[in-house]
């Protein structure tokens, strides 16, 4: 919803100058002389089919396994678990990051995978490495990537009488007697968590289906990490720890000081898919990206989790992560260490050669990029160094910043190994905000219009209904051209090849009988159209890139013939791939439950308007790029923990709208607040300017706070003795397409929406950069205005924000460390 749905903001202020601050938090030094040891146990299982010829990749190897057809191996017909592609790669990637960026020694990072990851060996490894060998105060991590499932247990204390489980290599289905049971039940491993947490700081990460209760499971290319639940055999066993009786799993973990992050809620399936040629769980891949940012080591777990939600949504994951932990634990880092809100990322010097070239002990694993600048104060003077080229994973080449090369070399000779430099200027990574895809085309406009005759024949066939827009009506089958052949996707994501020529007969021969077929046929661009769409490198629209394949694309170009106006007109739109996820659950009557729980709620618009003009399609791609840029925008490193307030949306019951609770119906009213971390509400006070904008499902971005029409209003000064814990910014009413139904004066837009809070020590010279048109309106992009805005930026921050919406992408942008950004997501649905 945009301001067109706003009934009234209680506080509309043009310029929010908020005085907020904190005392410097100095980590408490340990009373023990011994430094805590960092220990990790990483479990990953690919070979669930227990194929004796399966080649399990070791973390030290560079072998890349190509995905092969999977079969459901079972101990009984119809029950079992298919092989996965990503868990071992998840484990190896996380292992590398822990060692290169988080201070874990390789000897203390233990990997258990595939045939070694049996029920007994997983529990034994946990007991040995994270309990018996650990010393008081050690920092321990448990990570599991593999299938998750459920088993029946009428005495387990769960309302649904199902225990969530981790599925080991030696799983059994069906379970006929207690000895057959090999699943590791949630309460079984939680008891070990309690034992470990009594002496160490424990963090647990689960990339598996139904993992929300244990703190992997269309057209979508995601693969589920779940298999058959065991609902016939009843364990009839009480929780193994008396303290688990009568309390939720969340409370049990919180009371024992455990922090747990999970890939999916208990009713969801976690998924894996291909990322840059390698398979990973959506959760793990996104988490590693977040952990690679320079300030991740000094973010609270709560802040890191917020970034994880944003990252998973940017990858269009169809499931949401879950975090369990006490308030005290959430306010510490992922590994339970105190957060210093003023600490900036640091890097140590590895060596300096005779020419003055500096090698730093930190690279991409720490989130550093070319042009990052660091400073070190020595004897009252400041030495500044800059990364000279894109780093590798663990090292960065750098040089002294000085106007005179001779002076720079002289200064470099005063720098020694292990000298520590502090990040002072942050460089964002280059590359486009958005990647799109269209197939190589060989059809002229005349040929494509002729193909429409075959498509219309399909619509006349018994049991076949043609769908003109898969985001308006849920399709069960999807037909498209991949550059060589026409492909037909069936329910369950099975793909069949129609052939290089599209005929009604060929498609009908592949359609499976039974039930109604709702078919969407996407036409490729004509040769005339394809040559006129100018996007990507070496064009003025380099903010948008071309994906190598449809799997790598944020949006696909889809086409159809419109015959409503008399003749046949080809028109096209940019389609979000997962907007057609309905293909996966085509046999669900009316797809009602699919719409409620299984369709991914992406912050990006599902589709643009249909257009015939290539310039309009270019314009839509640029607007989508702007929206994606806002969704992915991350705070500069070293400032995320310094601002005391977070943006919070609350429902009419004053409950925060987060996770599964972040869905409202049209007509509902919610409030916008700034809510403080009370530990940071102490003097001295720091000035911050606050801006809040919203991006709706049509792609419109509007500035809610401050309102540009009231330039002279500002909040009163907030003295240290009167700093509020919450600052209300206003109320918003959810308005749908029918104003009468939602009780609104004007129609609104339902669906996913992103709220963004931007804070900065310096005011934006041009707040209009925060507003923009959508992709579902007939308005055209004002290229002249857009270009003018990009040239006229008056600050590095304004330049960065303007660049999000500009036509060109000019590599990395260097910005100061004096601002932060936060995204909050909301979903709105029709009134029941």
């Amino acid at each position: 919803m945009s301001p067109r749905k706003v009934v009234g903001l209680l506080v509309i202020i043009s310029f929010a100058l908020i005085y907020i601050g904190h005392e410097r938090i100095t980590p408490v030094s340990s009373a023990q002389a011994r430094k805590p040891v960092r220990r990790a146990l990483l479990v990953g299982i690919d070979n669930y089919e227990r194929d004796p010829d399966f080649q399990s990749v070791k973390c030290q190897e560079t072998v890349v396994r190509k995905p092969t057809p999977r079969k459901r191996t079972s101990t009984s017909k119809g029950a079992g678990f298919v092989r996965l592609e990503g868990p071992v790669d998840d484990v190896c990637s996380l292992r590398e990051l822990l060692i290169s960026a988080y201070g874990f020694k390789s000897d203390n990072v233990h990997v258990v995978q595939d045939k070694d990851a049996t029920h007994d060996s997983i529990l034994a490894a946990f007991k040995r490495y994270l309990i018996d060998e650990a010393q008081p105060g050690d920092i321990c991590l448990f990570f599991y990537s593999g299938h998750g499932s459920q088993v029946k247990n009428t005495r387990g204390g769960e309302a649904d009488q199902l225990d969530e489980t981790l599925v080991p290599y030696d799983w059994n289905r069906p379970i006929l007697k207690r000895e057959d049971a090999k699943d590791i039940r949630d309460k079984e491993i939680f008891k070990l968590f309690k034992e470990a947490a009594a002496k160490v700081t424990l963090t647990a990460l689960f990339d598996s289906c139904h993992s929300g209760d244990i703190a992997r499971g269309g057209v979508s290319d995601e693969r589920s990490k779940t298999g058959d639940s065991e609902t016939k055999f009843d364990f009839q066993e009480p929780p193994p720890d008396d303290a688990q009786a009568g309390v939720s799993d969340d409370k049990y973990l919180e009371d024992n000081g455990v922090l747990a992050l999970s890939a999916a809620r208990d009713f969801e399936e976690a998924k894996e898919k291909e990322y840059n040629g390698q398979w990973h769980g959506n959760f793990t891949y996104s988490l590693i990206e977040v952990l690679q940012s320079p300030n991740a080591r000094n973010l609270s777990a709560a802040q890191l989790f917020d970034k994880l939600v944003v990252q998973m949504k940017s990858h269009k994951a169809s499931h949401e992560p879950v975090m369990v932990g006490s308030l005290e634990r959430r306010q510490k880092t992922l590994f339970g260490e105190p957060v210093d809100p003023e600490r900036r990322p640091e890097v140590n010097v590895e060596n300096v050669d005779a020419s003055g070239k500096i090698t730093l002990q930190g690279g991409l694993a720490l989130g550093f990029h070319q042009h990052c600048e660091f400073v070190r104060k020595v004897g009252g003077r400041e030495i500044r160094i800059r990364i000279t080229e894109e780093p590798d994973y663990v090292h960065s080449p750098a040089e002294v910043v000085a106007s005179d090369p001779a002076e720079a070399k002289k200064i470099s000779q005063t720098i020694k190994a292990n000298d520590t430099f502090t990040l002072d200027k942050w460089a964002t990574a280059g590359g486009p905000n958005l990647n799109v895809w269209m197939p190589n085309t060989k059809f002229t406009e005349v040929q494509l219009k002729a193909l429409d005759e075959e498509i219309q024949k399909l619509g006349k066939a018994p049991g076949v209904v043609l769908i003109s827009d898969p985001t308006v009506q849920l399709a069960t089958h999807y037909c498209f051209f991949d550059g060589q052949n026409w492909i037909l996707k069936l329910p369950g994501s099975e793909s069949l090849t129609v052939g290089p020529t599209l005929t009604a007969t060929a498609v009908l021969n592949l359609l499976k009988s039974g039930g109604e077929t709702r078919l969407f046929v996407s036409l490729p661009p004509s040769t005339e159209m394809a040559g006129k769409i100018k996007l990507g490198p070496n064009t003025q629209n380099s903010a948008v890139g071309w994906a190598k394949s449809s799997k790598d694309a944020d949006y696909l170009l889809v086409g159809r013939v419109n015959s409503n106006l008399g003749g046949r007109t080809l028109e096209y739109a940019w389609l979000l791939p997962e907007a057609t996820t309905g293909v996966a659950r085509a046999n669900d009557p009316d797809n009602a439950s699919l719409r409620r729980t299984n369709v991914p709620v992406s912050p990006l618009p599902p589709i643009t308007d249909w257009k015939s003009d290539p310039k309009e399609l270019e314009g839509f791609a640029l607007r989508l790029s702007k929206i994606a840029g806002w969704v992915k925008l991350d705070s500069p490193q070293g400032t995320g923990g310094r601002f005391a307030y977070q943006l919070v949306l609350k429902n009419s019951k004053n409950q925060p709208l987060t996770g599964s609770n972040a869905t409202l119906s049209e007509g509902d009213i919610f409030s916008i607040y700034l809510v403080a971390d009370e530990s940071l509400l102490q003097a001295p006070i720091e000035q911050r300017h606050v801006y809040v904008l919203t991006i709706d499902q049509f792609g419109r971005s509007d500035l809610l706070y401050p309102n540009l029409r009231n330039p002279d209003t500002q909040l009163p000064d907030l003295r240290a003795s009167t700093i509020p814990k919450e600052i209300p910014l206003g109320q918003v009413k959810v308005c749908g397409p029918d104003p009468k139904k939602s009780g609104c004066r004007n129609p609104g837009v339902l669906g996913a929406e992103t709220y963004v809070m931007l804070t900065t020590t310096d005011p934006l010279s041009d707040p209009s950069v925060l507003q923009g048109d959508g992709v579902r309106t007939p308005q055209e992009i004002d290229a002249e205005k857009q270009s003018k805005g990009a040239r006229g930026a008056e600050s590095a921050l304004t330049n960065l924000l303007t660049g999000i919406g500009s036509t060109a992408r000019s590599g990395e942008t260097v910005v100061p460390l004096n601002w932060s950004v936060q995204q909050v997501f909301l979903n709105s649905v029709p009134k029941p």
Side-chain angles (χ1 to χ4, degrees), residues 539-560:
T539 72
Q540 64 176 358
N541 300 321
S542 59
V544 179
W546 288 109
K548 295 180 180 179
S549 69
S550 59
K551 293 182 179 180
D552 300 323
D554 297 302
Y555 280 87
L556 313 176
L557 187 69
V558 293
R560 69 185 185 186

Side-chain angles (χ1 to χ4, degrees), residues 34-277:
R34 176 182 175 275
K35 184 177 180 181
V37 174
R38 295 171 180 258
R39 305 174 184 274
L41 173 61
L42 314 179
V43 179
I45 308 173
D46 288 345
N47 188 20
Y48 277 98
E49 295 169 358
R50 299 193 284 244
D51 181 354
D53 298 324
F54 182 85
Q55 182 183 4
S56 183
V57 177
K58 302 297 182 183
C59 289
Q60 293 80 5
E61 298 175 344
T62 57
V63 178
V64 177
R65 275 192 291 102
K66 295 293 184 182
T68 56
R70 306 184 303 168
K71 60 182 182 296
R72 182 182 291 268
T73 298
S74 62
T75 56
S76 174
K77 184 178 180 180
F81 296 90
V82 297
R83 196 197 75 223
L84 296 173
E85 306 292 350
V88 173
D89 286 334
D90 287 343
V91 163
C92 295
S93 296
L94 183 59
R95 176 184 180 275
E96 183 179 13
L97 181 66
L98 293 175
I99 294 170
S100 61
Y102 282 86
F104 286 75
K105 302 297 183 184
S106 58
D107 291 344
N108 291 323
V109 179
H110 304 280
V111 172
V112 179
Q113 66 182 78
D114 285 334
K115 66 180 181 181
D116 296 325
T118 63
H119 172 280
D120 293 345
S121 64
I122 292 173
L123 297 181
F126 189 101
K127 185 78 165 56
R128 174 183 175 183
Y129 297 128
L130 304 187
I131 298 178
D132 295 343
E133 293 185 2
Q135 298 297 314
D138 282 354
I139 294 171
C140 293
L141 171 69
F142 174 74
F143 172 76
Y144 171 82
S145 182
H147 275 304
S149 189
Q150 296 173 312
V151 295
K152 185 176 182 180
N153 185 5
T154 55
R155 298 181 61 193
E158 300 286 349
D160 59 4
Q161 298 187 340
L162 294 173
D163 287 344
E164 279 66 43
T165 69
L166 308 181
V167 182
Y169 175 82
D170 56 340
W171 57 269
N172 270 321
R173 291 291 186 277
I175 300 174
L176 301 178
K177 55 185 182 299
R178 184 63 181 84
E179 291 74 19
D180 293 337
K182 296 299 181 180
D183 285 40
I184 300 175
R185 291 177 293 146
D186 49 7
K187 290 179 175 60
E188 183 180 8
I189 198 167
F190 286 170
K191 183 180 179 182
L192 280 180
F193 285 6
K194 178 181 179 180
E195 184 178 351
K199 62 188 292 190
V200 305
T201 300
L202 179 64
T203 301
L205 307 173
F206 298 95
D207 197 342
S208 57
C209 285
H210 312 297
S211 56
D213 261 12
I214 58 173
R216 261 174 161 178
V219 173
S220 172
D221 291 307
E222 296 178 315
R223 290 181 175 177
S224 177
K225 302 176 77 173
T226 191
D228 295 290
S229 298
E230 177 53 74
T231 57
K232 293 183 179 180
F233 179 81
D234 188 351
F235 279 73
Q236 297 188 32
E237 294 181 7
D241 181 4
D242 291 341
Q244 292 173 320
V247 301
S248 67
D249 292 335
D250 292 3
K251 185 69 164 54
Y252 183 78
L253 293 176
E254 290 173 3
D255 289 346
N256 289 288
V258 179
L259 181 75
L261 272 66
S262 307
R265 292 171 284 179
D266 59 351
F267 58 85
E268 288 182 324
E269 295 181 355
K271 303 292 181 71
E272 61 173 19
K273 65 181 180 182
E274 190 175 3
Y275 289 94
N276 301 317

Side-chain angles (χ1 to χ4, degrees), residues 219 437 469-471 478 520 522 553-558 572-580 605-608 610 624:
V219 173
W437 181 84
D469 186 328
T471 66
Y478 177 36
F520 173 63
S522 173
D554 297 302
Y555 280 87
L556 313 176
L557 187 69
V558 293
Y572 297 87
W574 296 108
L575 173 72
L576 192 70
E578 66 269 26
T580 60
I607 198 169
T608 66
W610 296 84
L624 291 171

Side-chain angles (χ1 to χ4, degrees), residues 762-767 769 789-790 792-804 815:
D762 299 318
L764 294 180
S765 57
D766 181 14
V769 299
E794 298 177 9
S795 69
L797 175 58
T798 305
N799 185 44
L800 173 67
L801 301 178
T802 304
I804 291 176
V815 293

